[in-house]
Amino acid sequence: MARYPIYHAKGNYSDIGLFLGRQVKYRLEENIDYYIKRLEEIEGLDHSRLEKEAIPWLRSLPPEYQVELENLAQGAGCSLMKVARWLYSDMCIAGGCTSFIHETPEGVWIGRNNDYLIPGIWGYITVIAVRGKIPIMLFGLEAGIFSGTGYNKEKLWVHYNWLPDTPNPEGLPPFVFHRQVLENCSSVGEVEALLKENPRDGGMSLFVLDGKKEEYAVFECSGKKHRKKEPEEGIIAAANHFHFPDIAPRNYEVSADSRGREEKTIELLLKEKDTAKPSSYINILGNSGVEARGQDSGTVYSCVVCPKNDLVYYSADPFPAASRGVWEKIAWEW
Protein backbone atom coordinates (compact mmCIF):
# COMPACT_ATOMS: atom_id res chain seq x y z
CA MET A 1 0.00 0.00 0.00
CA ALA A 2 1.31 3.43 -0.97
CA ARG A 3 2.36 5.60 1.95
CA TYR A 4 1.58 8.86 0.16
CA PRO A 5 -2.00 8.88 -1.19
CA ILE A 6 -2.70 10.15 -4.70
CA TYR A 7 -5.90 12.02 -5.58
CA HIS A 8 -6.96 11.96 -9.25
CA ALA A 9 -9.25 14.71 -10.55
CA LYS A 10 -10.31 15.44 -14.12
CA GLY A 11 -12.78 17.57 -16.06
CA ASN A 12 -13.13 21.34 -16.20
CA TYR A 13 -11.99 23.61 -13.39
CA SER A 14 -15.38 23.43 -11.71
CA ASP A 15 -15.32 19.62 -11.85
CA ILE A 16 -11.81 19.52 -10.37
CA GLY A 17 -12.66 21.67 -7.38
CA LEU A 18 -15.95 19.91 -6.65
CA PHE A 19 -14.40 16.45 -6.88
CA LEU A 20 -11.48 17.26 -4.58
CA GLY A 21 -13.78 18.97 -2.08
CA ARG A 22 -16.03 15.93 -1.94
CA GLN A 23 -13.03 13.65 -1.51
CA VAL A 24 -11.70 15.43 1.57
CA LYS A 25 -15.11 16.55 2.94
CA TYR A 26 -14.91 17.80 6.55
CA ARG A 27 -11.13 17.25 6.62
CA LEU A 28 -10.58 20.37 4.52
CA GLU A 29 -11.96 22.63 7.26
CA GLU A 30 -10.09 20.66 9.92
CA ASN A 31 -6.85 20.87 7.93
CA ILE A 32 -7.23 24.62 7.41
CA ASP A 33 -7.99 25.25 11.08
CA TYR A 34 -4.91 23.25 12.08
CA TYR A 35 -2.74 25.04 9.51
CA ILE A 36 -3.82 28.50 10.67
CA LYS A 37 -3.42 27.52 14.33
CA ARG A 38 0.11 26.24 13.80
CA LEU A 39 1.12 29.30 11.77
CA GLU A 40 -0.16 31.45 14.62
CA GLU A 41 1.87 29.47 17.16
CA ILE A 42 5.07 29.39 15.09
CA GLU A 43 5.13 32.74 13.30
CA GLY A 44 2.18 34.79 14.50
CA LEU A 45 -0.54 36.07 12.16
CA ASP A 46 -2.26 39.38 11.60
CA HIS A 47 -5.85 38.09 11.69
CA SER A 48 -7.38 41.49 10.91
CA ARG A 49 -5.29 41.62 7.75
CA LEU A 50 -6.39 38.09 6.79
CA GLU A 51 -10.04 39.00 7.24
CA LYS A 52 -9.68 42.19 5.23
CA GLU A 53 -7.41 41.06 2.39
CA ALA A 54 -7.95 37.33 1.82
CA ILE A 55 -11.09 37.47 -0.33
CA PRO A 56 -9.96 40.47 -2.45
CA TRP A 57 -6.68 38.62 -3.03
CA LEU A 58 -8.53 35.46 -4.10
CA ARG A 59 -10.62 37.56 -6.49
CA SER A 60 -7.41 38.79 -8.12
CA LEU A 61 -6.43 35.25 -9.19
CA PRO A 62 -7.03 33.98 -12.73
CA PRO A 63 -10.77 33.27 -13.14
CA GLU A 64 -10.33 29.54 -13.72
CA TYR A 65 -8.63 29.10 -10.34
CA GLN A 66 -11.29 31.17 -8.61
CA VAL A 67 -13.90 28.77 -10.00
CA GLU A 68 -11.88 25.79 -8.84
CA LEU A 69 -11.50 27.18 -5.32
CA GLU A 70 -15.19 28.08 -5.08
CA ASN A 71 -16.12 24.51 -5.97
CA LEU A 72 -13.47 23.05 -3.68
CA ALA A 73 -15.11 24.92 -0.79
CA GLN A 74 -18.60 23.92 -1.92
CA GLY A 75 -17.70 20.24 -2.30
CA ALA A 76 -16.16 20.12 1.17
CA GLY A 77 -18.88 22.16 2.87
CA CYS A 78 -16.33 24.78 3.82
CA SER A 79 -16.60 28.56 3.54
CA LEU A 80 -14.76 30.28 0.71
CA MET A 81 -13.44 32.79 3.26
CA LYS A 82 -11.70 29.98 5.12
CA VAL A 83 -10.11 28.69 1.90
CA ALA A 84 -9.00 32.24 1.03
CA ARG A 85 -7.46 32.74 4.48
CA TRP A 86 -5.63 29.42 4.14
CA LEU A 87 -3.99 30.37 0.85
CA TYR A 88 -3.39 34.02 1.73
CA SER A 89 -1.77 33.17 5.08
CA ASP A 90 0.77 31.10 3.16
CA MET A 91 1.89 34.23 1.32
CA CYS A 92 2.80 35.94 4.59
CA ILE A 93 5.52 33.43 5.50
CA ALA A 94 9.07 33.22 4.13
CA GLY A 95 10.20 29.83 2.84
CA GLY A 96 13.44 27.91 2.50
CA CYS A 97 14.55 25.08 0.15
CA THR A 98 17.71 23.60 -1.33
CA SER A 99 17.74 22.15 -4.85
CA PHE A 100 20.08 20.79 -7.48
CA ILE A 101 20.30 19.51 -11.06
CA HIS A 102 22.96 16.93 -11.91
CA GLU A 103 23.97 15.64 -15.35
CA THR A 104 25.05 11.99 -15.50
CA PRO A 105 25.64 9.54 -18.37
CA GLU A 106 22.36 7.79 -17.46
CA GLY A 107 20.28 10.96 -17.45
CA VAL A 108 19.75 14.32 -15.77
CA TRP A 109 18.56 14.15 -12.16
CA ILE A 110 16.95 16.79 -9.99
CA GLY A 111 16.74 16.90 -6.20
CA ARG A 112 14.80 19.14 -3.88
CA ASN A 113 14.32 19.78 -0.17
CA ASN A 114 11.24 21.84 0.53
CA ASP A 115 11.93 23.67 3.78
CA TYR A 116 8.87 25.09 5.42
CA LEU A 117 6.62 24.98 8.49
CA ILE A 118 4.30 22.44 10.13
CA PRO A 119 5.91 19.03 9.60
CA GLY A 120 3.65 16.04 9.16
CA ILE A 121 0.99 17.45 6.81
CA TRP A 122 2.79 17.31 3.44
CA GLY A 123 2.44 13.66 2.42
CA TYR A 124 -0.10 14.04 -0.41
CA ILE A 125 -0.05 13.97 -4.20
CA THR A 126 -2.73 15.37 -6.49
CA VAL A 127 -3.03 14.50 -10.20
CA ILE A 128 -5.13 17.08 -12.05
CA ALA A 129 -6.22 16.66 -15.67
CA VAL A 130 -8.07 19.79 -16.79
CA ARG A 131 -9.80 19.38 -20.13
CA GLY A 132 -7.65 21.02 -22.82
CA LYS A 133 -4.59 21.37 -20.54
CA ILE A 134 -1.55 19.20 -19.86
CA PRO A 135 -2.23 16.77 -16.99
CA ILE A 136 -0.15 17.64 -13.92
CA MET A 137 0.96 16.13 -10.63
CA LEU A 138 1.37 18.30 -7.52
CA PHE A 139 3.13 17.41 -4.26
CA GLY A 140 2.36 18.66 -0.76
CA LEU A 141 -0.94 19.30 1.01
CA GLU A 142 -4.14 17.27 0.91
CA ALA A 143 -6.50 18.65 -1.77
CA GLY A 144 -3.75 21.04 -2.79
CA ILE A 145 -4.54 22.65 -6.13
CA PHE A 146 -1.37 24.74 -5.85
CA SER A 147 2.15 23.75 -4.89
CA GLY A 148 5.78 24.72 -5.36
CA THR A 149 6.64 21.28 -6.75
CA GLY A 150 5.19 19.36 -9.69
CA TYR A 151 5.48 17.27 -12.84
CA ASN A 152 3.41 17.02 -16.02
CA LYS A 153 2.57 14.49 -18.69
CA GLU A 154 5.06 16.15 -21.06
CA LYS A 155 7.88 14.97 -18.72
CA LEU A 156 8.44 18.52 -17.50
CA TRP A 157 9.51 18.75 -13.85
CA VAL A 158 9.12 22.22 -12.27
CA HIS A 159 9.69 23.48 -8.75
CA TYR A 160 10.87 26.68 -7.12
CA ASN A 161 12.85 27.88 -4.12
CA TRP A 162 11.69 30.99 -2.33
CA LEU A 163 13.84 34.13 -2.74
CA PRO A 164 13.53 37.30 -0.65
CA ASP A 165 12.19 40.12 -2.79
CA THR A 166 10.29 43.39 -2.63
CA PRO A 167 6.57 42.56 -3.09
CA ASN A 168 5.15 43.26 -6.53
CA PRO A 169 1.37 43.77 -6.12
CA GLU A 170 0.83 43.41 -9.89
CA GLY A 171 2.23 39.88 -10.06
CA LEU A 172 0.94 36.35 -9.55
CA PRO A 173 1.93 34.37 -6.46
CA PRO A 174 4.76 31.98 -7.47
CA PHE A 175 2.64 28.96 -6.49
CA VAL A 176 -0.10 30.09 -8.91
CA PHE A 177 2.45 30.79 -11.65
CA HIS A 178 3.89 27.31 -11.00
CA ARG A 179 0.54 25.70 -11.81
CA GLN A 180 0.19 27.77 -14.98
CA VAL A 181 3.62 26.56 -16.11
CA LEU A 182 2.76 22.90 -15.59
CA GLU A 183 -0.62 23.14 -17.30
CA ASN A 184 0.64 25.02 -20.34
CA CYS A 185 4.33 24.27 -20.96
CA SER A 186 6.15 21.29 -22.44
CA SER A 187 9.66 22.76 -22.83
CA VAL A 188 12.17 25.01 -21.12
CA GLY A 189 11.67 27.62 -23.84
CA GLU A 190 7.92 27.77 -23.21
CA VAL A 191 8.55 28.28 -19.50
CA GLU A 192 10.87 31.20 -20.18
CA ALA A 193 8.30 32.74 -22.53
CA LEU A 194 5.72 32.55 -19.74
CA LEU A 195 8.18 34.19 -17.35
CA LYS A 196 8.51 37.10 -19.77
CA GLU A 197 4.73 37.47 -20.07
CA ASN A 198 3.72 37.16 -16.42
CA PRO A 199 5.19 39.12 -13.51
CA ARG A 200 5.25 37.45 -10.08
CA ASP A 201 4.51 38.99 -6.70
CA GLY A 202 7.83 37.80 -5.23
CA GLY A 203 11.18 36.18 -5.91
CA MET A 204 12.01 32.56 -6.71
CA SER A 205 14.62 30.23 -8.19
CA LEU A 206 12.62 28.29 -10.76
CA PHE A 207 14.03 24.82 -11.57
CA VAL A 208 12.88 23.31 -14.88
CA LEU A 209 13.90 19.93 -16.35
CA ASP A 210 12.49 18.56 -19.61
CA GLY A 211 12.90 14.77 -19.61
CA LYS A 212 12.09 14.47 -23.32
CA LYS A 213 15.11 16.41 -24.52
CA GLU A 214 17.16 16.36 -21.30
CA GLU A 215 17.17 20.15 -21.37
CA TYR A 216 17.11 22.13 -18.14
CA ALA A 217 17.39 25.60 -16.67
CA VAL A 218 17.35 27.41 -13.35
CA PHE A 219 15.80 30.85 -13.65
CA GLU A 220 16.59 33.27 -10.85
CA CYS A 221 13.57 35.56 -10.70
CA SER A 222 12.52 38.78 -9.07
CA GLY A 223 8.93 39.92 -9.47
CA LYS A 224 9.55 41.41 -12.91
CA LYS A 225 12.93 40.12 -14.12
CA HIS A 226 14.77 36.84 -14.46
CA ARG A 227 18.25 35.56 -15.24
CA LYS A 228 19.43 32.06 -16.12
CA LYS A 229 21.92 30.37 -13.80
CA GLU A 230 24.54 28.39 -15.73
CA PRO A 231 25.80 24.91 -14.73
CA GLU A 232 29.37 24.20 -13.68
CA GLU A 233 30.70 20.70 -14.36
CA GLY A 234 27.16 19.53 -15.10
CA ILE A 235 25.84 20.80 -11.76
CA ILE A 236 23.50 23.60 -10.72
CA ALA A 237 22.59 24.07 -7.07
CA ALA A 238 20.65 26.86 -5.39
CA ALA A 239 19.19 27.64 -2.01
CA ASN A 240 17.53 30.94 -1.05
CA HIS A 241 19.77 33.78 -2.14
CA PHE A 242 20.30 35.82 -5.28
CA HIS A 243 23.42 35.43 -7.42
CA PHE A 244 22.66 38.31 -9.82
CA PRO A 245 22.90 41.75 -8.16
CA ASP A 246 20.93 43.42 -10.97
CA ILE A 247 17.73 41.58 -10.04
CA ALA A 248 18.21 41.35 -6.27
CA PRO A 249 16.35 43.81 -4.01
CA ARG A 250 18.08 47.00 -2.93
CA ASN A 251 20.56 46.66 -0.03
CA TYR A 252 20.37 42.88 -0.37
CA GLU A 253 22.62 40.71 1.82
CA VAL A 254 23.20 36.99 1.24
CA SER A 255 22.11 34.70 4.06
CA ALA A 256 25.02 32.70 5.50
CA ASP A 257 22.69 29.73 6.09
CA SER A 258 21.52 29.74 2.47
CA ARG A 259 25.06 30.06 1.13
CA GLY A 260 26.22 27.22 3.36
CA ARG A 261 23.47 24.83 2.22
CA GLU A 262 24.20 25.57 -1.42
CA GLU A 263 27.96 25.17 -1.10
CA LYS A 264 27.58 21.90 0.80
CA THR A 265 25.26 20.55 -1.89
CA ILE A 266 27.79 21.33 -4.62
CA GLU A 267 30.62 19.81 -2.59
CA LEU A 268 28.71 16.55 -2.14
CA LEU A 269 27.58 16.40 -5.77
CA LEU A 270 31.15 16.79 -7.03
CA LYS A 271 32.07 13.67 -5.08
CA GLU A 272 29.29 11.82 -6.91
CA LYS A 273 30.13 13.31 -10.29
CA ASP A 274 29.16 10.34 -12.45
CA THR A 275 26.65 8.74 -10.09
CA ALA A 276 23.01 8.27 -10.99
CA LYS A 277 21.77 6.46 -7.91
CA PRO A 278 18.69 7.73 -6.08
CA SER A 279 20.25 6.62 -2.79
CA SER A 280 23.24 8.93 -3.36
CA TYR A 281 20.99 11.93 -3.96
CA ILE A 282 18.84 11.04 -0.96
CA ASN A 283 21.97 11.00 1.20
CA ILE A 284 22.96 14.42 -0.13
CA LEU A 285 19.56 15.93 0.65
CA GLY A 286 19.67 14.35 4.11
CA ASN A 287 23.15 15.64 4.93
CA SER A 288 23.22 17.78 8.07
CA GLY A 289 24.75 20.65 6.10
CA VAL A 290 21.95 20.59 3.50
CA GLU A 291 18.78 19.54 5.30
CA ALA A 292 16.94 22.04 7.53
CA ARG A 293 16.18 20.61 10.98
CA GLY A 294 14.29 23.08 13.16
CA GLN A 295 11.72 22.12 15.76
CA ASP A 296 8.63 23.43 13.98
CA SER A 297 10.17 24.11 10.59
CA GLY A 298 12.64 22.48 8.23
CA THR A 299 12.65 19.97 5.41
CA VAL A 300 8.98 18.99 5.32
CA TYR A 301 9.26 17.05 2.05
CA SER A 302 11.96 15.98 -0.41
CA CYS A 303 12.11 14.76 -4.00
CA VAL A 304 14.65 12.95 -6.19
CA VAL A 305 13.58 12.72 -9.84
CA CYS A 306 14.78 11.60 -13.28
CA PRO A 307 12.12 12.76 -15.76
CA LYS A 308 13.80 10.95 -18.67
CA ASN A 309 12.81 7.65 -17.07
CA ASP A 310 9.68 8.85 -15.19
CA LEU A 311 11.39 8.10 -11.87
CA VAL A 312 9.97 10.07 -8.95
CA TYR A 313 11.03 9.40 -5.35
CA TYR A 314 9.22 11.27 -2.59
CA SER A 315 9.51 11.59 1.18
CA ALA A 316 7.37 13.64 3.55
CA ASP A 317 7.17 11.82 6.87
CA PRO A 318 8.63 11.41 9.51
CA PHE A 319 10.38 14.76 9.89
CA PRO A 320 12.91 15.84 8.72
CA ALA A 321 11.87 14.29 5.44
CA ALA A 322 15.20 13.75 3.65
CA SER A 323 17.10 11.97 6.45
CA ARG A 324 14.30 10.39 8.50
CA GLY A 325 11.33 10.21 6.14
CA VAL A 326 10.13 7.08 4.39
CA TRP A 327 11.15 7.40 0.74
CA GLU A 328 8.70 5.98 -1.77
CA LYS A 329 9.03 5.42 -5.51
CA ILE A 330 5.82 6.98 -6.77
CA ALA A 331 3.60 5.03 -9.18
CA TRP A 332 0.82 7.03 -10.82
CA GLU A 333 -1.48 7.24 -13.84
CA TRP A 334 -2.30 10.35 -15.79
Side-chain angles (χ1 to χ4, degrees):
M1 182 177 178
R3 182 179 182 87
Y4 305 113
I6 302 176
Y7 291 95
H8 290 82
K10 61 182 178 180
N12 57 31
Y13 287 99
S14 176
D15 297 332
I16 301 295
L18 198 60
F19 174 82
L20 290 174
R22 287 173 174 169
Q23 290 296 299
V24 297
K25 298 180 182 177
Y26 63 87
R27 290 198 308 279
L28 180 63
E29 187 163 353
E30 289 183 352
N31 291 347
I32 293 172
D33 286 344
Y34 178 74
Y35 194 89
I36 297 291
K37 176 185 176 184
R38 294 295 289 128
L39 283 184
E40 173 70 46
E41 292 170 349
I42 298 167
E43 291 282 337
L45 285 174
D46 185 341
H47 289 280
S48 63
R49 179 185 172 193
L50 282 181
E51 292 295 328
K52 180 181 179 181
E53 299 180 8
I55 286 291
W57 170 83
L58 185 146
R59 291 305 181 199
S60 73
L61 297 179
E64 61 269 26
Y65 300 138
Q66 293 187 43
V67 168
E68 197 169 83
L69 291 169
E70 288 167 359
N71 282 273
L72 175 70
Q74 179 184 336
C78 178
S79 73
L80 185 62
M81 168 60 86
K82 183 157 287 192
V83 171
R85 292 178 73 232
W86 174 40
L87 294 172
Y88 191 67
S89 68
D90 201 50
M91 295 183 55
C92 303
I93 309 298
C97 309
T98 307
S99 304
F100 65 79
I101 293 176
H102 186 208
E103 291 186 48
T104 77
E106 291 80 17
V108 181
W109 287 77
I110 191 163
R112 187 268 210 290
N113 277 351
N114 188 79
D115 301 340
Y116 204 58
L117 307 175
I118 321 177
I121 65 172
W122 302 91
Y124 296 90
I125 300 167
T126 308
V127 175
I128 297 175
V130 177
R131 193 175 301 125
K133 299 290 184 178
I134 302 169
I136 69 173
M137 181 163 58
L138 302 174
F139 297 81
L141 296 172
E142 186 175 28
I145 70 164
F146 299 118
S147 174
T149 307
Y151 191 43
N152 73 18
K153 194 175 180 180
E154 293 293 321
K155 289 182 175 284
L156 195 72
W157 178 270
V158 184
H159 75 254
Y160 68 85
N161 295 358
W162 172 84
L163 289 179
D165 193 22
T166 304
N168 174 25
E170 299 176 357
L172 285 173
F175 58 81
V176 176
F177 178 79
H178 174 263
R179 169 129 182 221
Q180 286 190 327
V181 167
L182 287 171
E183 287 186 328
N184 295 286
C185 298
S186 60
S187 68
V188 173
E190 290 177 354
V191 174
E192 184 162 22
L194 207 61
L195 276 171
K196 292 176 181 177
E197 294 172 9
N198 293 280
R200 286 74 51 196
D201 70 1
M204 63 178 175
S205 281
L206 187 67
F207 281 68
V208 184
L209 172 52
D210 177 2
K212 301 182 302 299
K213 299 179 180 179
E214 293 275 79
E215 293 180 350
Y216 62 87
V218 176
F219 298 105
E220 196 164 291
C221 308
S222 66
K224 296 181 179 180
K225 300 178 181 179
H226 71 273
R227 293 277 301 274
K228 187 183 290 188
K229 199 170 186 290
E230 297 299 329
E232 295 183 16
E233 299 187 57
I235 293 171
I236 303 182
N240 306 109
H241 59 275
F242 284 95
H243 299 80
F244 299 102
D246 58 315
I247 64 171
R250 185 178 300 177
N251 301 320
Y252 174 72
E253 294 185 8
V254 175
S255 158
D257 172 71
S258 177
R259 186 191 298 277
R261 284 184 281 117
E262 180 178 304
E263 290 177 350
K264 188 64 176 180
T265 301
I266 294 171
E267 174 193 328
L268 295 170
L269 283 169
L270 287 172
K271 294 178 181 178
E272 305 284 348
K273 189 171 182 182
D274 297 319
T275 298
K277 295 179 180 178
S279 59
S280 298
Y281 299 129
I282 288 169
N283 288 338
I284 289 171
L285 292 174
N287 183 277
S288 60
V290 176
E291 186 178 51
R293 300 175 178 176
Q295 181 175 349
D296 294 308
S297 64
T299 300
V300 295
Y301 68 79
S302 301
C303 309
V304 169
V305 182
C306 180
K308 176 183 177 181
N309 299 315
D310 273 331
L311 294 174
V312 177
Y313 298 87
Y314 187 63
S315 175
D317 194 55
F319 173 81
S323 63
R324 295 191 63 240
V326 177
W327 283 86
E328 183 175 301
K329 182 179 178 181
I330 303 301
W332 73 95
E333 295 179 359
W334 293 115

